[in-house]
Amino acid sequence: MRPQFEYGDEVRVIRNVRNDGTYPGESTGTLLIRRGSTGFVKDVGTFLQDQIIYSVHFLDSDRIVGCREEELIPVDAPWTPSRFEFRDKVAANIPLGMQGRILVEAGEIGEVIKVVRDNPGGVAYHVHFLDRNTLLVPETALTEAEPTADSTEIDSDTES
């Protein structure tokens, strides 16, 4: 088991990193580092003798966070930033439809279930709209949702 990164390497985290209970001073589940953030490897260690863990210093937030190897890529590796993340509430900018039939009216609120970075037309999202199937929606067709009483009713039982 050889580490992919060494001390001083600049890396990018490809998943949101939340406190699993081991980061002092923050509640469990708190977002520590947002996907796409970059930092420098400060230390390389192992967990349970079969996982490589890197201590990464994220300068923008001045935090040193433990990251698993599969959560990191070299800073110069291809990366497509996205406007929204998993569980973000979004609203349709335009009516959304399929085969000439409108399924979602402009302004309706949904929840991002998955970010699709390798979509041929650019970043897209699997978005769940209340009482409907999940739709693949391009980033350009979405905006941030205004908080409303209706937006809390979206069923988020399906995670990917």
Side-chain angles (χ1 to χ4, degrees):
M1 185 167 66
R2 294 188 166 264
Q4 180 180 350
F5 306 107
E6 300 294 331
Y7 178 83
D9 286 354
E10 190 172 8
V11 294
R12 180 181 314 277
V13 67
I14 60 171
R15 297 180 187 158
N16 285 335
V17 178
R18 296 187 177 279
N19 186 10
D20 62 1
T22 60
Y23 193 88
E26 296 288 348
S27 301
T28 301
T30 299
L31 179 65
L32 298 174
I33 301 297
R34 189 170 171 89
R35 171 190 342 211
S37 298
T38 62
F40 293 89
V41 174
K42 284 193 55 99
D43 193 20
V44 181
T46 59
F47 176 70
L48 298 177
Q49 300 178 5
D50 67 347
Q51 294 181 44
I52 296 177
I53 304 293
Y54 298 89
S55 293
V56 180
H57 186 188
F58 294 93
L59 299 176
D60 288 347
S61 60
D62 195 26
R63 287 188 165 170
I64 299 172
V65 178
C67 299
R68 294 176 295 164
E69 191 165 76
E70 61 268 18
E71 296 174 320
L72 301 172
I73 60 173
V75 73
D76 56 357
W79 172 254
T80 305
S82 62
R83 189 169 164 200
F84 306 108
E85 299 289 341
F86 171 68
R87 302 197 85 183
D88 282 353
K89 302 292 191 268
V90 294
N93 276 339
I94 57 174
L96 304 174
M98 185 176 357
Q99 299 175 340
R101 198 177 77 190
I102 300 296
L103 301 173
V104 175
E105 294 294 337
E108 285 192 59
I109 295 173
E111 182 176 41
V112 173
I113 302 301
K114 183 177 182 181
V115 180
V116 184
R117 294 179 191 286
D118 57 356
N119 189 52
V123 176
Y125 304 89
H126 289 171
V127 181
H128 177 74
F129 291 93
L130 190 61
D131 296 329
R132 292 184 200 88
N133 291 333
T134 299
L135 301 175
L136 180 64
V137 183
E139 187 170 73
T140 56
L142 297 171
T143 189
E144 292 85 10
E146 296 292 326
T148 66
D150 294 300
S151 67
T152 59
E153 295 176 13
I154 295 172
D155 180 16
S156 61
D157 290 338
T158 35
E159 291 186 23
S160 57

